[in-house]
Amino acid sequence: MIINPNARSVMHCLTVFGLVSLQFLILVEAISIPPPTGPYHVGKTRRAIHHYYDHDPLAPNNISTAFLATIFYPTDQKPKAPPQPYLWNGIAEYYENRWNYTKGFLQSLTSIVQYDAPFLEGSVGQSPFPTIIFGPGGGGPPVDGNTILLSELASHGYTIIGVDHPWDQPYIQFPNGTAVVGTAWDTWLTLAQVTPVYEARVIDNTVLLETLPQLVEDLNAPINTSLIGSLGFSLGGAAAIGTMYDEKIVSGLNMDGSFWGRTAANNSSSDVKKPVLLFGHELHLGGDPSWASFPLWQTGSFRYLLVNGTTELDFFDNTFWRLLEPNSQLGGTVDPYRMINITNAYVKAFF
Ligand SMILES: *[C@@H]1O[C@H](CO)[C@@H](O)[C@H](O)[C@H]1NC(C)=O
Ligand SMILES: *[C@@H]1O[C@H](CO)[C@@H](O)[C@H](O)[C@H]1NC(C)=O
Ligand SMILES: *[C@@H]1O[C@H](CO)[C@@H](O)[C@H](O)[C@H]1NC(C)=O
Ligand SMILES: *[C@@H]1O[C@H](CO)[C@@H](O)[C@H](O)[C@H]1NC(C)=O
Ligand SMILES: *[C@@H]1O[C@H](CO)[C@@H](O)[C@H](O)[C@H]1NC(C)=O
Ligand SMILES: *[C@@H]1O[C@H](CO)[C@@H](O)[C@H](O)[C@H]1NC(C)=O
Ligand SMILES: *[C@@H]1O[C@H](CO)[C@@H](O)[C@H](O)[C@H]1NC(C)=O
Ligand SMILES: *[C@@H]1O[C@H](CO)[C@@H](O)[C@H](O)[C@H]1NC(C)=O
């Protein structure tokens, strides 16, 4: 059972009955996000990628020294435990407050993804399936907030390496437990300041591609290092396309992200010369000049897919969150299950 139609009233009881019953009820009533449908089970692990960058627009003194890679991958291991909470508490609390979800609601959501499950058998650095790098939205939610799609891809054999940039996300936690809290997007980031944040994302992706052979060796994992696609949501979608100028990327998919930097140049320099899909909400093409101009310069194969009845907030796990706690400000009129099916089907078909 995925959905508990009484989730709201259960949550209300929780706050009344206090901690003991809260733990008890969450145990009983924990709600799982839609599970992946592919033939594999799904593992997840994290690594810090060290990179000294002294033009970081968001870091204290403009210096960052690491970003976070979260890796979703296929595994043969059956889950040994019930589904686990899948968002850091720091993220769950942040969005509960920001989007008026019931306190504890996002913290109680679980996923069947297994932390640090064994990789499939296979030679290090090789896999019949491509690898996909992924970038989340600017200002969040981080990679974990896209688990429905990323676990679906992993269950079909892909390895996805998601990149969270410290201070760009409201909260991230490195594997050693060190947390980084960022609030820039809420408090001071102006439109003019987005371009350097975008550039930092593209640089992270480029560093990830350079370090991929070493990362794969450290993980001792059958991850394909030669056939790599690029995917992202919002600012991460723009950066996914911006990373395609790197020869290591073969194709790219931008989920609802406005273009910045070179991708927004509106001249022939924006041509990535490779297959691109722009996948967005119904008004994105008409409402965003960068979406109208980018295709003019593409010489590779190119498609749009616009989904009626959606807003930007339907292109990540929030489309499911708002199913449980409806709020007309937090998405479109589309049935969230239909949106999940559309997203999973077309992203999979593209890659
Ligand atoms: C950091 O970078 C931003 C944006 O590039 C700039 O406005 C700011 O002055 C820099 N801050 C420091 C302390 O260097
Ligand atoms: C959350 O509640 C505040 C205060 O009532 C309101 O101003 C804001 O628009 C709400 N936000 C959302 C996303 O519902
Ligand atoms: C990567 O995947 C492609 C497509 O399946 C395959 O042709 C190629 O041999 C793989 N590369 C490695 C190094 O495993
Ligand atoms: C934890 O890891 C991050 C990323 O490598 C690093 O910046 C931080 O200093 C580390 N924290 C501690 C306490 O070692
Ligand atoms: C494209 O536009 C950018 C930004 O306006 C400019 O720097 C670049 O020289 C232009 N390139 C071409 C090929 O026109
Ligand atoms: C992009 O360039 C085309 C033709 O060169 C022009 O018609 C269009 O208005 C430009 N778009 C933007 C957003 O500047
Ligand atoms: C989709 O949305 C667009 C823009 O609102 C509208 O013109 C079009 O008729 C809609 N299509 C369908 C099939 O509802
Ligand atoms: C979504 O896909 C599943 C599996 O194919 C199907 O059972 C379900 O009816 C679909 N839901 C919607 C709303 O399209």
Side-chain angles (χ1 to χ4, degrees):
M1 178 80 173
I2 295 160
I3 298 248
N4 167 15
N6 297 320
R8 238 200 133 83
S9 49
V10 169
M11 286 305 161
H12 286 172
C13 295
L14 297 183
T15 47
V16 175
F17 291 128
L19 194 63
V20 174
S21 43
L22 183 137
Q23 282 166 343
F24 174 70
L25 279 173
I26 281 182
L27 204 67
V28 176
E29 299 290 348
I31 299 166
S32 219
I33 60 172
T37 64
Y40 297 103
H41 300 287
V42 178
K44 165 171 157 178
T45 191
R46 300 194 207 267
R47 292 294 182 275
I49 309 286
H50 295 276
H51 175 238
Y52 182 88
Y53 183 49
D54 62 6
H55 287 74
D56 192 318
L58 301 177
N61 301 315
N62 293 98
I63 294 173
S64 58
T65 56
F67 57 86
L68 179 65
T70 299
I71 304 149
F72 291 81
Y73 53 91
T75 176
D76 284 332
Q77 178 175 284
K78 287 204 186 90
K80 295 172 171 167
Q84 302 294 304
Y86 85 106
L87 300 170
W88 293 299
N89 283 349
I91 277 297
E93 283 168 10
Y94 177 87
Y95 284 102
E96 286 161 6
N97 288 331
R98 179 164 168 195
W99 289 340
N100 304 339
Y101 284 125
T102 305
K103 198 166 164 43
F105 163 61
L106 293 177
Q107 287 180 58
S108 75
L109 295 183
T110 61
S111 149
I112 203 160
V113 171
Q114 306 170 69
Y115 289 92
D116 297 318
F119 287 94
L120 296 176
E121 299 283 322
S123 307
V124 174
Q126 292 184 23
S127 163
F129 295 102
T131 300
I132 299 174
I133 63 170
F134 175 81
V143 171
D144 293 345
N146 305 265
T147 295
I148 297 173
L149 172 61
L150 303 184
S151 60
E152 173 71 8
L153 291 169
S155 78
H156 285 272
Y158 297 92
T159 294
I160 299 88
I161 308 178
V163 173
D164 282 318
H165 192 86
W167 295 286
D168 180 340
Q169 296 297 326
Y171 180 97
I172 67 167
Q173 207 174 297
F174 282 108
N176 62 8
T178 295
V180 180
V181 176
T183 53
W185 286 83
D186 283 353
T187 54
W188 59 262
L189 205 69
T190 65
L191 224 49
Q193 288 163 317
V194 175
T195 300
V197 178
Y198 160 84
E199 303 292 357
R201 294 288 200 93
V202 175
I203 288 170
D204 284 354
N205 284 350
T206 307
V207 169
L208 176 69
L209 292 171
E210 279 163 10
T211 54
L212 187 61
Q214 186 61 50
L215 175 66
V216 163
E217 197 138 308
D218 294 346
L219 293 168
N220 197 27
I223 295 176
N224 193 319
T225 53
S226 65
L227 191 67
I228 309 171
S230 188
L231 169 69
F233 164 65
S234 196
L235 187 70
I241 305 302
T243 308
M244 293 178 73
Y245 303 111
D246 189 308
E247 62 180 13
K248 296 183 203 74
I249 300 290
V250 302
S251 64
L253 196 163
N254 173 359
M255 297 197 290
D256 218 39
S258 297
F259 287 107
W260 303 91
R262 181 172 168 186
T263 56
N266 197 20
N267 63 35
S268 61
S269 79
S270 71
D271 184 7
V272 301
K273 301 179 179 142
K274 299 169 196 172
V276 172
L277 177 63
L278 297 190
F279 176 45
H281 70 267
E282 64 180 273
L283 301 177
H284 205 140
L285 186 51
D288 178 350
S290 77
W291 270 42
S293 62
F294 177 81
L296 299 174
W297 306 102
Q298 299 309 307
T299 56
S301 67
F302 177 84
R303 289 284 175 86
Y304 283 113
L305 180 64
L306 303 176
V307 187
N308 272 25
T310 61
T311 75
E312 186 168 31
L313 297 178
D314 288 306
F315 288 79
F316 60 98
D317 291 1
N318 179 66
T319 201
F320 180 72
W321 304 345
R322 73 167 173 86
L323 174 73
L324 302 178
E325 295 214 346
N327 173 338
S328 59
Q329 288 181 54
L330 291 178
T333 53
V334 69
D335 168 9
Y337 274 126
R338 178 160 160 69
M339 184 54 186
I340 290 165
N341 282 6
I342 291 170
T343 304
N344 287 350
Y346 282 91
V347 172
K348 236 168 16 201
F350 177 79
F351 285 111

